[in-house]
Amino acid sequence: MLKTFKIGGIHPPENKFSAGKPIEKVQLPKTVTIPVAQHIGAPSKVIVKRGDQVKTGQVIAESAGFVSANIHSSVSGVVKKIDTVLDSSGYKKQCVIIQVEGDEWVDGVDLDDTLVTSTDLDGKAISSKILESGIVGLGGATFPTHVKLSVPQGMKADMLIINAVECEPYLTADHQLMMEKGKEILVGTELLMKAIGVEKAVIGIENNKPDAIKHLTNLCGEFKGISVCALKVQYPQGGEKQLINAVTGREVPSGGLPIAVGCVVNNVGTAFAVYEAVMKNKPLVERVVTVTGKSVEKPCNLMARIGTPLTDLIEMAGGLPEDTSKVISGGPMMGKALVSTDVPMTKGTSGVLIMKDQEAHRKPMQNCIRCGKCITVCPMGLEPYLLMTHSELKNWEESEQCNVMDCIECGSCSYTCPADRPLLDYIRLGKGTVGKIMRSRKK
Amino acid sequence: MSLAILYTIITLSAIGITAAVILYITAQKFKVYEDPRIDQVDEALPGANCGGCGFAGCRAFAEACVSKNELSDLFCPVGGNDCMNEVAGILGLEAVKKDPRIAVVRCNGACENRPKTNVYEGASSCAIASSLYGGETGCAFGCLGHGDCVDVCDFDALRMNPETGLPEVIEENCVACGACVDACPKDLIELRRKFPKDRKIYVSCRNQDKGAAARKACTVACIGCGKCVKECPFDAITLENNLAFIDSEKCKLCRKCVAVCPTNAIVEENFPPRKVKAEKPAAEKAKKPVVKKEKADEVSPKDSSEQKN
């Protein structure tokens, strides 16, 4: 029997329309808009000014603290302005807007496609290379990768887990990347293992991608210590804690990090970005994005530069269908509905999902019927109905006692609720408020 | 027979006396001294337990009044100066006189002024909506209209106007406890000095975008042009982040800024109609989408005579 995580989980319709579609390169847009806040942590500090000439791969915003990341220009051209622009967060954020003039890269970048497998860099050097290249978790959470790699004192990692689960319905970006760049991903995995100092790596892939499992298992033979683990299809298996549980059977303690059980988890896209950064000297300036939806003409997987307007990506998929009433950045479960399609793609944009009018609307909320479905599906073993009630009544202390901070915001509760209650919305509110209270208590 | 009655009386009395002695000793042993003035002060307070003073309730406030021995930074907004004078009388202290305040909603983005750009179907709560995005219109600073402020008001001093989709302050009920100020995620509600006859002049906008963007999102947005700053004879208006702010402590209600504002972002309320050069300002005023227009008209006939004095 295939492995999966122990508690909760759902299985929404997969709808992977873009599976098997080769990754196409998106043409350079006329201008790119690069937000300075593309990752979790402190927004980067802009170091270019208006009128500056920049090359592709040049740092335009420096990391502002330990939990932060460098941001590189994804095109070559002139900095048109530095202004606040609406981004996928729904608010106006500081962005660097660059007028594209050709595609001239900074010196030292290897743009050749040939595979490089060996390096004489040691773990520390790899880590600092990753820090320089501005790599963040490409699964969608955009947590700076170098922070994950620096194991805190007194803790020891014994295993690297590569997250190739892609449990979100519709999305196929990681799947296609594995099919096309399998060897590169495995070299990237080796580099990550070296950086953390572990001998063992497991690539977790859900069983709905048998071709990827087969492909990577074949390739693994050439690499020491890396194996593939096929997993049962279950959402949210791509969640760090769920994946660790599924692969190793270990359970991350409440409030703890994966390192507490000796694991470090990185996305498969991140592994590829690490390969490019270390072996090819190429900073993170592009990523794979799935553009999909039920009424989209040509669902596709695209390789696009950071800062490309989403309208350009949607154009590549055959344009916005007429019956569209919602566009989501990311997958249907954890993605974020957009206010406008005129926002730039960022390091965290794993997909653009276009929803038809019939499927886009939320039903009005009804009273809780105490069926307990939300408790059954919660992968963290929480009681969503209770957490929502606490949030509604502003009982923050009780909310904290019910471990609201352990919620991973996967949305399984809202998905399964027969009374259409916006459980996650309220839990997120509780999480935010309780987090604030806890931080102020520490001070 | 009579003996039996006697024994009973003696036994019961003995039990009674013993119990009384034990109770007396226990009461003395575990006595907690509480200043009797706390009760008196508590009595003098309104008893709304709203938390507007910054304490957990009226009792906590009374304890603070008695223990601190000075009233300089203690004030009950609900009871106001009368209540504080009474408290000061009980404690033999000096009360600090404070001007009464009133909550003011600084957004005028009604449906006709601020066109919708998207539709929100999530949970009906401003706190949740603002954590997700900027709002249903192009303005990320304006009212979201889910009424978190109305929900927290203990005094029925706020209501949602179904036509404009904005909250309205019911002036006679507002006690300036500040609950709504904390509840609004967009920081739209401000406690301003209460002028006679509830007259108000304020910038009814919080949009910090540049002028063109603000104007595009809402027709009555403050575009940060700075005309009002130049016009104000009392230096009451400051301009910061493309947004004007009128300091109610310095404002003398001269209304000069209202006339120069190109977008009608500065709102006047409860004033009599202007009498000088009747035609032009009247026409301008007619265009202006002041939310509480009828109210201003109601007050005006009585007011105009007093205004002359």
Side-chain angles (χ1 to χ4, degrees):
Chain A
M1 212 178 96
L2 288 168
K3 286 182 177 176
T4 187
F5 53 97
K6 295 219 173 56
I7 38 172
I10 52 174
H11 189 177
E14 287 164 25
N15 292 326
K16 307 250 185 193
F17 304 122
S18 51
K21 300 272 163 66
I23 298 171
E24 296 168 65
K25 272 209 183 295
V26 179
Q27 256 195 339
L28 289 182
K30 285 194 185 105
T31 56
V32 291
T33 310
I34 305 175
V36 297
Q38 297 189 30
H39 44 261
I40 288 182
S44 313
K45 217 174 113 236
V46 179
I47 54 165
V48 289
K49 52 183 193 302
R50 198 179 150 186
D52 278 5
Q53 200 80 32
V54 291
K55 286 181 180 173
T56 316
Q58 185 182 331
V59 180
I60 53 169
E62 266 178 351
S63 155
F66 182 56
V67 186
S68 185
N70 281 345
I71 289 170
H72 302 75
S73 174
S74 58
V75 291
S76 64
V78 186
V79 177
K80 212 164 120 192
K81 59 181 171 180
I82 295 160
D83 199 4
T84 55
V85 178
L86 187 76
D87 75 356
S88 52
S89 70
Y91 283 97
K92 286 186 177 171
K93 295 275 173 69
Q94 197 185 28
C95 293
V96 179
I97 298 152
I98 300 169
Q99 178 94 46
V100 181
E101 289 167 3
D103 191 20
E104 192 189 332
W105 285 73
V106 284
D107 299 333
V109 178
D110 176 10
L111 291 173
D112 202 31
D113 262 348
T114 48
L115 184 76
V116 187
T117 50
S118 64
T119 173
D120 42 11
L121 293 173
D122 64 347
K124 262 211 177 114
I126 294 172
S127 258
S128 65
K129 194 85 210 158
I130 288 170
L131 169 66
E132 260 169 51
S133 307
I135 294 176
V136 298
L138 295 183
T142 61
F143 190 77
T145 302
H146 68 270
V147 183
K148 273 193 187 178
L149 299 183
S150 55
V151 178
Q153 269 192 337
M155 301 220 185
K156 211 183 161 313
D158 63 358
M159 187 194 246
L160 168 72
I161 299 177
I162 296 293
N163 186 347
V165 171
E166 203 158 52
C167 60
E168 279 269 5
Y170 290 95
L171 302 188
T172 57
D174 287 352
H175 182 186
Q176 198 53 36
L177 190 70
M178 281 188 278
M179 294 310 292
E180 293 185 19
K181 308 278 182 192
K183 275 196 178 161
E184 283 88 343
I185 288 166
L186 292 173
V187 175
T189 308
E190 259 191 343
L191 293 170
L192 284 167
M193 283 159 71
K194 211 168 170 186
I196 311 161
V198 294
E199 301 290 311
K200 195 179 161 196
V202 178
I203 304 176
I205 310 177
E206 274 187 355
N207 199 26
N208 57 0
K209 296 179 265 292
D211 49 347
I213 296 172
K214 207 173 150 203
H215 182 57
L216 286 191
T217 315
N218 287 343
L219 293 177
C220 271
E222 301 164 33
F223 297 86
K224 213 180 130 226
I226 306 178
S227 61
V228 172
C229 177
L231 301 162
K232 192 184 149 195
V233 182
Q234 184 94 312
Y235 178 87
Q237 195 138 241
E240 233 175 18
K241 290 163 189 170
Q242 281 63 40
L243 184 60
I244 292 171
N245 188 245
V247 172
T248 67
R250 300 173 199 175
E251 194 179 316
V252 181
S254 168
L257 292 169
I259 193 74
V261 292
C263 295
V264 174
V265 183
N266 272 298
N267 186 265
V268 59
T270 315
F272 178 66
V274 167
Y275 163 79
E276 291 221 303
V278 179
M279 298 302 196
K280 301 275 182 182
N281 225 354
K282 193 172 157 191
L284 181 57
V285 294
E286 57 185 2
R287 69 157 295 150
V288 187
V289 186
T290 302
V291 185
T292 183
K294 277 186 185 154
S295 52
V296 173
E297 203 179 305
K298 293 181 289 181
C300 52
N301 300 302
L302 305 169
M303 180 66 97
R305 298 285 170 91
I306 308 294
T308 310
L310 293 190
T311 36
D312 281 24
L313 306 186
I314 296 168
E315 216 47 59
M316 291 280 288
L320 208 60
E322 252 175 48
D323 59 354
T324 305
S325 79
K326 197 187 252 181
V327 178
I328 295 171
S329 161
M333 298 302 292
M334 291 194 67
K336 200 169 157 48
L338 296 170
V339 176
S340 152
T341 51
D342 217 9
V343 297
M345 64 160 281
T346 61
K347 292 177 182 177
T349 312
S350 49
V352 179
L353 173 60
I354 297 159
M355 291 187 102
K356 292 197 290 187
D357 197 37
Q358 299 105 291
E359 54 183 11
H361 296 288
R362 285 173 85 152
K363 287 181 205 137
M365 156 180 141
Q366 290 155 18
N367 291 336
C368 176
I369 55 167
R370 298 286 188 271
C371 64
K373 274 194 177 174
C374 53
I375 302 171
T376 321
V377 299
C378 180
M380 295 304 289
L382 302 172
E383 291 169 278
Y385 83 96
L386 191 62
L387 293 174
M388 175 177 172
T389 313
H390 284 325
S391 282
E392 271 183 311
L393 300 173
K394 301 192 172 64
N395 289 340
W396 308 125
E397 274 172 31
E398 283 90 336
S399 215
E400 192 186 340
Q401 279 158 18
C402 293
N403 298 315
V404 70
M405 295 308 284
D406 281 340
C407 171
I408 58 164
E409 304 181 22
C410 67
S412 300
C413 48
S414 296
Y415 175 83
T416 198
C417 182
D420 301 304
R421 291 175 73 73
L423 290 151
L424 179 58
D425 298 80
Y426 275 95
I427 295 172
R428 224 188 258 132
L429 173 67
K431 217 179 142 182
T433 317
V434 170
K436 250 185 236 161
I437 294 170
M438 286 168 79
R439 274 195 297 278
S440 66
R441 212 182 283 151
K442 265 186 201 160
K443 280 174 199 164
Chain B
M1 192 63 184
S2 62
L3 257 182
I5 294 170
L6 194 66
Y7 285 145
T8 319
I9 289 170
I10 289 168
T11 326
L12 282 176
S13 314
I15 292 171
I17 289 162
T18 327
V21 169
I22 293 169
L23 275 176
Y24 177 76
I25 292 167
T26 332
Q28 285 301 314
K29 178 99 180 153
F30 295 105
K31 191 159 93 179
V32 178
Y33 175 76
E34 199 175 44
D35 200 323
R37 293 178 301 170
I38 294 176
D39 280 330
Q40 291 174 352
V41 174
D42 196 12
E43 202 85 331
L45 294 173
N49 289 317
C50 64
C53 54
F55 291 90
C58 292
R59 183 81 190 172
F61 180 70
E63 279 167 17
C65 285
V66 174
S67 66
K68 276 202 176 160
N69 236 339
E70 50 141 9
L71 297 175
S72 58
D73 50 357
L74 296 167
F75 190 79
C76 171
V78 181
N81 285 325
D82 294 344
C83 167
M84 286 316 290
N85 281 334
E86 205 179 318
V87 171
I90 295 166
L91 300 173
L93 300 168
E94 194 82 1
V96 187
K97 198 168 182 292
K98 277 195 186 166
D99 293 320
R101 296 182 164 262
I102 190 157
V104 171
V105 182
R106 289 178 293 171
C107 177
N108 208 355
C111 311
E112 75 265 25
N113 300 334
R114 202 166 49 137
K116 276 194 180 186
T117 55
N118 62 80
V119 183
Y120 174 76
E121 287 177 342
S124 179
S125 152
C126 300
I128 290 173
S130 78
S131 73
L132 292 172
Y133 75 133
E136 283 182 314
T137 65
C139 171
F141 299 88
C143 181
L144 294 163
H146 298 294
D148 276 16
C149 49
V150 178
D151 291 345
V152 295
C153 185
D154 283 338
F155 300 92
D156 288 339
L158 278 159
R159 66 163 167 241
M160 287 310 278
N161 184 328
E163 268 170 44
T164 58
L166 298 170
E168 277 179 5
V169 179
I170 303 163
E171 279 141 21
E172 51 270 33
N173 289 356
C174 179
V175 296
C177 68
C180 51
V181 178
D182 293 338
C184 181
K186 299 279 184 188
D187 200 14
L188 292 175
I189 306 181
E190 189 205 350
L191 296 180
R192 291 176 74 86
R193 192 170 124 208
K194 198 171 182 178
F195 287 99
K197 302 189 190 73
D198 280 335
R199 285 181 181 161
K200 277 180 234 160
I201 291 182
Y202 59 96
V203 180
S204 187
C205 182
R206 290 281 290 158
N207 195 319
Q208 296 177 6
D209 281 338
K210 281 180 189 149
R215 184 70 177 72
K216 201 178 157 199
C218 178
T219 55
V220 291
C222 172
I223 53 171
C225 64
K227 276 189 182 169
C228 49
V229 180
K230 280 182 206 146
E231 191 71 19
C232 182
F234 307 105
D235 286 336
I237 310 181
T238 46
L239 192 69
E240 209 178 313
N241 295 331
N242 308 310
L243 179 66
F245 174 72
I246 305 177
D247 187 347
S248 60
E249 301 300 327
K250 291 182 186 163
C251 179
K252 300 266 192 291
L253 300 183
C254 70
R255 293 202 273 168
K256 280 187 177 152
C257 51
V258 182
V260 296
C261 182
T263 57
N264 294 328
I266 302 179
V267 172
E268 56 173 53
E269 273 176 28
N270 303 337
F271 279 91
R274 284 163 195 266
K275 44 194 173 200
V276 235
K277 287 168 209 158
E279 274 189 320
K280 237 186 170 181
E284 226 169 72
K285 242 192 125 186
K287 266 191 268 166
K288 189 165 54 180
V290 176
V291 179
K292 281 174 203 161
K293 216 165 189 186
E294 306 118 77
K295 207 164 221 176
D297 293 344
E298 272 170 34
V299 188
S300 50
K302 292 182 267 168
D303 278 1
S304 48
S305 56
E306 287 163 15
Q307 183 72 4
K308 280 169 200 159
N309 301 333

